[in-house]
Amino acid sequence: MNTSSLSNLADKAMSESPTRKAETPSARNSTPQFNVAMAAAGEQNATPVIVEAEKINLFYGTKQALKSVSIPFHQNTISALIGPSGCGKSTFLRCLNRMNDLIEGCRTEGEVTLSGENIYTKGVDTVMLRQRVGMVFQKPNPFPMAIWDNIAYGPRLRGIKNKAVLGEIVEESLRGAALWDEVKDDLKKSALGLSGGQQQRLCIARALATKPEVLLMDEPCSALDPISTLKVEELMRELRGAYTIIIVTHNMQQAARVSDTTAFFLLGELIEMGASAKMFTDPSDKRTEDYITGRFG
Amino acid sequence: MATAPAPLPDSPSPVPPKYQPLASSSTHLRRRKLASTLFYLLCFGVTLLSFFLLAWIMSGIFKQGIPYLNQQFLTSFPSRFAEQAGIKSALYGSVYVLCVTAVFAIPVGIGAAIFLQEYAGDNRFARFVQVNIANLAGVPSIVYGILGLALFVRALGFERSVLSGGLTLGLLVLPIIIIATQEALRGVPNSLRHGSYALGASKWQTIRRQVLPIAMPGILTGIILSISRAMGETAPLIMMGALTYVAFVPRGLRDGFTTLPIQVFNWTSRPQVEFQAIAAAGIIVLMTVLLSLNALAIFLRYRYNSRL
Ligand SMILES: Nc1ncnc2c1ncn2[C@@H]1O[C@H](COP(=O)(O)OP(=O)(O)OP(=O)(O)O)[C@@H](O)[C@H]1O
Ligand SMILES: [Mg+2]
């Protein structure tokens, strides 16, 4: 657990948040209170912060979708983003690799740092950024080509042409995504012929093939059966050693099972974040508690 | 699982609606079925009608033209005597002109479509160009002939050559290619573009590796349709001043030329019955080339689709 620095930051973010309005007075009263013992325990094995969002305000046209969201993400941890539909989880995730740039009329304020570098400064190349921050989408989106070519797509973009090298990457990535055994004889077949769950794991493998530092996953299991879901969760735990994973999920059990820290969003605001173990047993905000216990409107 | 949930205590016990047996019928149902059948018959009738009209025209043409359709017809130049007249110069002329058209219109059209669809975004300039292209597609072809005459023949001094003809037809089909290509590009789901960007692809890599291959069948269809259109056009070339009697095969871009439809037009305007017949033979040749082009389009589309 690594909540010490994290909780302080979150705390600060909450109280400093400039957009906090009068109509949500409870927000100010209920800034996250982290369990002291937890925080102390976290201090010893906290990994450094790798991605940090600071005071992100995001607008779609004139509509504000994120309100001063600040979250630090620690290296080699799994962080879960939870919250009701439409609260801005996907939007926030897309801020972290600047996929929102592709959406017309979308404007982002604030900064996101990756290993200390602000990804929203002028000179940043989004191509470079997205190689380091990979993404798996909410809906599986395999390319209409062979399975092999799907996985080799990322490395090829980087100019790797050698078939043997590519082949190794393909196998390694497919094994990583627990898909190898199912498709190893059909690598030349179209990826569109795979089932929904296989397609999602293919997309995970495709993201792994580019060897990103940070992996963003937007509800990767929403279309999966329980067995595939377990496989993906297992996979995330394995990947945790090498990657930093940020996952959006509607599945509380999943968030509790796999994530180290959990952040709860509501209407574009970060309400609370902290160690998952604490969030799901003893949340400090009433709204968090209502949400995770299913008492939310 | 098997037992139905008990009704809530304070809600009245639900009355199950009465269902009709599946085999029964009502006037309302019969009317719906009748409408369905009528619509089917209407569609079938219209298809049949157009088929028979086409067959009727074609059979007339074939009856007239087949006797004249032989090797001599394909390898001779036009002549004052119908028995000796052939279509060689028109066939070559058509092929040469269409080559110029294709070389000019395909890259320019696809490039413009990619720019408008993928790069330009939604600004005033793009919208202005877009509206104009849509309008250009509806301009009568003879206007392109006037443009060709003024621009290529006169202003640029290309004379009444294969080059002028090809470029004129190129301008004519350019809007069609652009619109068809844009339509094909628009059909590529954004999720694939985003998937590509998320893996660190640049814009060009995304267009080349994802967007274009997926849009290719649609683009090819547009290209072949527009080339077929160019192949059948007569008015703009005549307006531009293409020759109607050509007893040579064009040897370069600057040579004069005639094309299949012009040759056919020329023959049909003569009073003698034999010329009507060789005009029919010319139409058969034209149709054959067109049909093979369409077959090629279908083949290419099939091949692209089956690769996915
Ligand atoms: N492309 C867009 N253009 C305009 N508004 C958008 C766009 N994408 C999202 N929004 C708005 O931003 C808000 C947050 O959307 P977002 O997709 O981030 O929600 P989410 O938390 O991921 O929801 P879900 O759990 O249903 O996926 C919503 O109110 C949505 O209407
Ligand atoms: Mg979402």
Side-chain angles (χ1 to χ4, degrees), chain A residues 99 102 104 127 130-131 133 135 137 141-145 153 156-158 190 206-207 210, chain B residues 121-122 191-203 205-206 209-210 214 307-308:
Chain A
M99 286 300 280
L102 304 174
E104 215 149 303
V127 168
R130 290 175 194 145
Q131 281 174 25
V133 183
M135 183 165 202
F137 292 81
N141 57 349
F143 301 136
M145 32 166 112
Y153 189 80
R156 272 179 171 159
L157 294 174
R158 238 125 287 147
S190 168
R206 197 171 69 184
T210 64
Chain B
D122 190 29
S191 62
L192 296 180
R193 290 190 180 86
H194 288 183
S196 176
Y197 287 131
L199 289 169
S202 65
K203 184 140 196 160
Q205 282 174 320
T206 300
R209 289 165 194 249
Q210 292 297 336
I214 296 167
R307 278 212 328 214
L308 300 184

Side-chain angles (χ1 to χ4, degrees), chain B:
Chain B
M1 286 308 271
T3 56
L8 294 173
D10 54 342
S11 69
S13 68
V15 184
K18 276 222 320 256
Y19 295 109
Q20 290 190 348
L22 289 175
S24 74
S25 184
S26 69
T27 36
H28 180 62
L29 194 63
R30 265 199 304 277
R31 265 226 303 282
R32 273 164 42 190
K33 271 191 191 153
L34 186 67
S36 188
T37 316
L38 278 179
F39 186 68
Y40 164 75
L41 285 178
L42 183 72
C43 293
F44 186 68
V46 172
T47 313
L48 217 60
L49 181 72
S50 50
F51 175 76
F52 274 116
L53 272 178
L54 189 69
W56 183 55
I57 297 171
M58 288 306 295
S59 75
I61 289 172
F62 269 83
K63 228 185 283 163
Q64 268 194 309
I66 285 287
Y68 285 87
L69 198 61
N70 48 33
Q71 199 182 353
Q72 183 250 319
F73 179 70
L74 291 176
T75 55
S76 309
F77 291 115
S79 156
R80 276 189 299 132
F81 309 102
E83 314 80 61
Q84 291 168 24
I87 206 153
K88 183 175 181 182
S89 53
L91 201 53
Y92 275 88
S94 270
V95 171
Y96 283 25
V97 167
L98 287 184
C99 284
V100 174
T101 303
V103 166
F104 164 66
I106 294 174
V108 174
I110 294 181
I114 291 178
F115 173 76
L116 286 173
Q117 199 58 38
E118 303 289 329
Y119 286 95
D122 190 29
N123 56 33
R124 243 175 206 203
F125 170 72
R127 271 201 300 273
F128 176 76
V129 173
Q130 192 73 63
V131 167
N132 275 292
I133 287 173
N135 284 337
L136 280 180
V139 168
S141 61
I142 194 137
V143 175
Y144 284 95
I146 302 173
L147 176 65
L149 182 64
L151 181 63
F152 301 124
V153 179
R154 301 264 162 76
L156 297 177
F158 293 161
E159 307 290 323
R160 301 168 172 201
S161 60
V162 169
L163 185 59
S164 297
L167 292 176
T168 303
L169 291 183
L171 285 183
L172 173 76
V173 299
L174 200 53
I176 307 175
I177 294 184
I178 294 177
I179 291 173
T181 305
Q182 275 190 292
E183 207 52 56
L185 295 175
R186 218 170 289 147
V188 178
N190 256 336
S191 62
L192 296 180
R193 290 190 180 86
H194 288 183
S196 176
Y197 287 131
L199 289 169
S202 65
K203 184 140 196 160
W204 169 237
Q205 282 174 320
T206 300
I207 291 174
R208 201 182 70 86
R209 289 165 194 249
Q210 292 297 336
V211 178
L212 280 183
I214 296 167
M216 202 41 98
I219 297 177
L220 281 175
T221 308
I223 288 175
I224 305 271
L225 280 181
S226 56
I227 295 294
S228 305
R229 163 93 194 272
M231 174 133 212
E233 278 296 340
T234 327
L237 292 180
I238 291 181
M239 185 71 224
M240 196 209 80
L243 307 171
T244 48
Y245 184 90
V246 176
F248 57 87
V249 167
R251 248 171 303 131
L253 291 177
R254 293 309 193 91
D255 278 1
F257 69 97
T258 191
T259 63
L260 286 171
I262 296 177
Q263 186 68 69
V264 169
F265 174 70
N266 177 266
W267 282 332
T268 50
S269 58
R270 298 195 191 192
Q272 299 94 327
V273 183
E274 295 82 23
F275 277 108
Q276 302 300 318
I278 58 169
I283 291 174
I284 297 175
V285 173
L286 182 57
M287 295 281 287
T288 311
V289 178
L290 279 177
L291 284 180
S292 0
L293 273 179
N294 282 327
L296 179 71
I298 293 169
F299 170 74
L300 286 175
R301 204 169 38 200
Y302 174 76
R303 248 198 40 183
Y304 252 99
N305 281 338
S306 64
R307 278 212 328 214
L308 300 184

Side-chain angles (χ1 to χ4, degrees), chain A residues 58 60-61 63-66 83-94 100 103-104 106 138 218-219 248 250 265:
Chain A
L58 188 141
Y60 290 116
K63 181 173 167 253
Q64 187 161 11
L66 291 177
S85 189
C87 67
K89 305 178 299 291
S90 300
T91 302
F92 178 72
L93 206 62
R94 286 198 300 264
N100 281 328
I103 296 174
E104 215 149 303
C106 178
Q138 191 162 345
D218 197 349
E219 297 184 41
V248 171
H250 279 295
F265 282 72

